[in-house]
Short mmCIF file of all heavy atoms in Angstrom, two decimals:
data_model
loop_
_atom_site.label_atom_id
_atom_site.label_comp_id
_atom_site.label_asym_id
_atom_site.label_seq_id
_atom_site.Cartn_x
_atom_site.Cartn_y
_atom_site.Cartn_z
N LYS A 1 42.54 -15.90 57.88
CA LYS A 1 43.87 -16.47 58.03
C LYS A 1 44.19 -17.32 56.78
O LYS A 1 43.26 -17.81 56.12
CB LYS A 1 43.92 -17.37 59.27
CG LYS A 1 43.50 -16.70 60.55
CD LYS A 1 43.46 -17.71 61.68
CE LYS A 1 43.00 -17.08 62.99
NZ LYS A 1 42.95 -18.07 64.09
N PRO A 2 45.46 -17.53 56.49
CA PRO A 2 45.80 -18.39 55.35
C PRO A 2 45.16 -19.77 55.44
O PRO A 2 44.80 -20.36 54.40
CB PRO A 2 47.32 -18.47 55.43
CG PRO A 2 47.72 -17.17 56.06
CD PRO A 2 46.65 -16.88 57.06
N GLU A 3 44.98 -20.27 56.64
CA GLU A 3 44.37 -21.60 56.80
C GLU A 3 42.87 -21.61 56.51
O GLU A 3 42.25 -22.68 56.49
CB GLU A 3 44.63 -22.16 58.20
CG GLU A 3 44.29 -21.23 59.34
CD GLU A 3 45.53 -20.47 59.84
OE1 GLU A 3 46.32 -19.98 59.01
OE2 GLU A 3 45.66 -20.36 61.08
N ASP A 4 42.28 -20.45 56.27
CA ASP A 4 40.89 -20.38 55.84
C ASP A 4 40.77 -20.59 54.33
O ASP A 4 39.64 -20.68 53.81
CB ASP A 4 40.27 -19.03 56.20
CG ASP A 4 40.16 -18.82 57.70
OD1 ASP A 4 39.77 -19.78 58.41
OD2 ASP A 4 40.47 -17.71 58.16
N THR A 5 41.88 -20.66 53.64
CA THR A 5 41.85 -20.87 52.20
C THR A 5 41.19 -22.20 51.88
O THR A 5 41.59 -23.25 52.39
CB THR A 5 43.28 -20.87 51.63
OG1 THR A 5 43.84 -19.56 51.78
CG2 THR A 5 43.28 -21.24 50.15
N ALA A 6 40.14 -22.15 51.07
CA ALA A 6 39.36 -23.36 50.76
C ALA A 6 38.29 -23.03 49.73
O ALA A 6 38.02 -21.85 49.46
CB ALA A 6 38.71 -23.91 52.02
N LEU A 7 37.70 -24.07 49.22
CA LEU A 7 36.48 -23.93 48.42
C LEU A 7 35.32 -24.01 49.40
O LEU A 7 35.21 -24.99 50.14
CB LEU A 7 36.42 -25.05 47.38
CG LEU A 7 35.35 -24.96 46.30
CD1 LEU A 7 35.53 -23.68 45.48
CD2 LEU A 7 35.45 -26.17 45.38
N TYR A 8 34.51 -22.98 49.40
CA TYR A 8 33.41 -22.89 50.36
C TYR A 8 32.10 -23.30 49.69
O TYR A 8 31.73 -22.73 48.64
CB TYR A 8 33.31 -21.47 50.92
CG TYR A 8 34.34 -21.19 51.98
CD1 TYR A 8 35.68 -21.04 51.63
CD2 TYR A 8 34.00 -21.11 53.32
CE1 TYR A 8 36.65 -20.81 52.60
CE2 TYR A 8 34.96 -20.86 54.30
CZ TYR A 8 36.27 -20.73 53.93
OH TYR A 8 37.23 -20.50 54.90
N TYR A 9 31.41 -24.23 50.32
CA TYR A 9 30.16 -24.76 49.78
C TYR A 9 28.98 -24.36 50.65
O TYR A 9 29.04 -24.43 51.88
CB TYR A 9 30.21 -26.29 49.73
CG TYR A 9 31.23 -26.86 48.79
CD1 TYR A 9 32.51 -27.17 49.23
CD2 TYR A 9 30.90 -27.12 47.46
CE1 TYR A 9 33.44 -27.72 48.37
CE2 TYR A 9 31.83 -27.67 46.59
CZ TYR A 9 33.10 -27.97 47.06
OH TYR A 9 34.02 -28.51 46.20
N CYS A 10 27.91 -24.04 49.99
CA CYS A 10 26.63 -23.80 50.63
C CYS A 10 25.85 -25.11 50.61
O CYS A 10 25.87 -25.84 49.61
CB CYS A 10 25.91 -22.72 49.83
SG CYS A 10 24.19 -22.47 50.23
N ALA A 11 25.17 -25.42 51.71
CA ALA A 11 24.38 -26.65 51.79
C ALA A 11 23.03 -26.36 52.43
O ALA A 11 22.91 -25.44 53.24
CB ALA A 11 25.13 -27.70 52.61
N ALA A 12 22.04 -27.18 52.07
CA ALA A 12 20.70 -26.97 52.60
C ALA A 12 19.99 -28.30 52.79
O ALA A 12 20.27 -29.27 52.09
CB ALA A 12 19.89 -26.09 51.65
N ASP A 13 19.08 -28.28 53.75
CA ASP A 13 18.22 -29.45 53.94
C ASP A 13 16.84 -28.96 54.33
O ASP A 13 16.72 -28.00 55.09
CB ASP A 13 18.78 -30.37 55.01
CG ASP A 13 18.06 -31.70 55.00
OD1 ASP A 13 18.38 -32.51 54.10
OD2 ASP A 13 17.19 -31.91 55.84
N ALA A 14 15.83 -29.67 53.83
CA ALA A 14 14.45 -29.24 54.05
C ALA A 14 13.90 -29.67 55.40
O ALA A 14 12.72 -29.46 55.67
CB ALA A 14 13.55 -29.76 52.93
N THR A 15 14.75 -30.24 56.26
CA THR A 15 14.30 -30.67 57.58
C THR A 15 15.06 -29.91 58.66
O THR A 15 16.06 -29.24 58.38
CB THR A 15 14.54 -32.17 57.77
OG1 THR A 15 15.95 -32.42 57.73
CG2 THR A 15 13.86 -32.98 56.68
N THR A 16 14.60 -30.04 59.87
CA THR A 16 15.33 -29.50 61.02
C THR A 16 16.39 -30.52 61.42
O THR A 16 16.06 -31.66 61.74
CB THR A 16 14.38 -29.24 62.19
OG1 THR A 16 13.41 -28.27 61.78
CG2 THR A 16 15.15 -28.73 63.39
N ILE A 17 17.64 -30.12 61.39
CA ILE A 17 18.73 -31.02 61.74
C ILE A 17 19.06 -30.81 63.21
O ILE A 17 19.23 -29.68 63.66
CB ILE A 17 19.97 -30.74 60.87
CG1 ILE A 17 19.61 -30.93 59.38
CG2 ILE A 17 21.12 -31.66 61.27
CD1 ILE A 17 20.73 -30.56 58.44
N SER A 18 19.15 -31.89 63.94
CA SER A 18 19.43 -31.77 65.37
C SER A 18 20.82 -31.22 65.60
O SER A 18 21.71 -31.31 64.74
CB SER A 18 19.28 -33.13 66.04
OG SER A 18 20.31 -34.00 65.60
N ASP A 19 21.01 -30.69 66.80
CA ASP A 19 22.32 -30.13 67.14
C ASP A 19 23.43 -31.14 66.95
O ASP A 19 24.52 -30.81 66.50
CB ASP A 19 22.32 -29.66 68.60
CG ASP A 19 21.42 -28.47 68.82
OD1 ASP A 19 20.77 -28.01 67.85
OD2 ASP A 19 21.34 -27.99 69.96
N TYR A 20 23.15 -32.38 67.29
CA TYR A 20 24.19 -33.41 67.22
C TYR A 20 24.70 -33.61 65.80
O TYR A 20 25.87 -33.89 65.60
CB TYR A 20 23.63 -34.72 67.77
CG TYR A 20 24.64 -35.83 67.88
CD1 TYR A 20 25.52 -35.90 68.96
CD2 TYR A 20 24.74 -36.81 66.89
CE1 TYR A 20 26.46 -36.90 69.05
CE2 TYR A 20 25.67 -37.82 66.97
CZ TYR A 20 26.53 -37.88 68.06
OH TYR A 20 27.45 -38.87 68.15
N TYR A 21 23.82 -33.46 64.83
CA TYR A 21 24.18 -33.75 63.43
C TYR A 21 24.37 -32.50 62.59
O TYR A 21 24.55 -32.60 61.37
CB TYR A 21 23.10 -34.62 62.79
CG TYR A 21 23.05 -36.02 63.34
CD1 TYR A 21 21.99 -36.44 64.15
CD2 TYR A 21 24.07 -36.92 63.06
CE1 TYR A 21 21.95 -37.72 64.66
CE2 TYR A 21 24.03 -38.22 63.57
CZ TYR A 21 22.97 -38.60 64.37
OH TYR A 21 22.94 -39.87 64.87
N ILE A 22 24.36 -31.34 63.20
CA ILE A 22 24.36 -30.11 62.42
C ILE A 22 25.60 -29.98 61.53
O ILE A 22 25.55 -29.36 60.48
CB ILE A 22 24.22 -28.87 63.33
CG1 ILE A 22 23.74 -27.67 62.55
CG2 ILE A 22 25.53 -28.59 64.06
CD1 ILE A 22 22.31 -27.80 62.05
N GLY A 23 26.69 -30.59 61.92
CA GLY A 23 27.92 -30.51 61.13
C GLY A 23 28.16 -31.70 60.24
O GLY A 23 29.23 -31.81 59.62
N ALA A 24 27.18 -32.57 60.11
CA ALA A 24 27.34 -33.80 59.32
C ALA A 24 26.91 -33.55 57.88
O ALA A 24 25.75 -33.26 57.61
CB ALA A 24 26.50 -34.91 59.93
N MET A 25 27.84 -33.72 56.97
CA MET A 25 27.54 -33.45 55.56
C MET A 25 26.40 -34.30 55.04
O MET A 25 25.60 -33.84 54.22
CB MET A 25 28.79 -33.72 54.72
CG MET A 25 29.88 -32.68 54.88
SD MET A 25 31.21 -32.95 53.70
CE MET A 25 31.83 -34.52 54.24
N GLY A 26 26.31 -35.52 55.50
CA GLY A 26 25.29 -36.44 55.02
C GLY A 26 23.88 -36.03 55.34
O GLY A 26 22.92 -36.55 54.77
#
């Protein structure tokens, strides 16, 4: 959709991120 227009970033972390924080950039 047009609203999907964005700069898409790949991110990684060397730990297991809990479900609660899975969407937290930090």
Side-chain angles (χ1 to χ4, degrees):
K1 304 175 182 179
E3 50 264 44
D4 294 318
T5 294
L7 190 60
Y8 282 72
Y9 295 91
C10 169
D13 192 77
T15 64
T16 298
I17 301 175
S18 68
D19 292 1
Y20 186 81
Y21 291 109
I22 200 68
M25 288 188 295

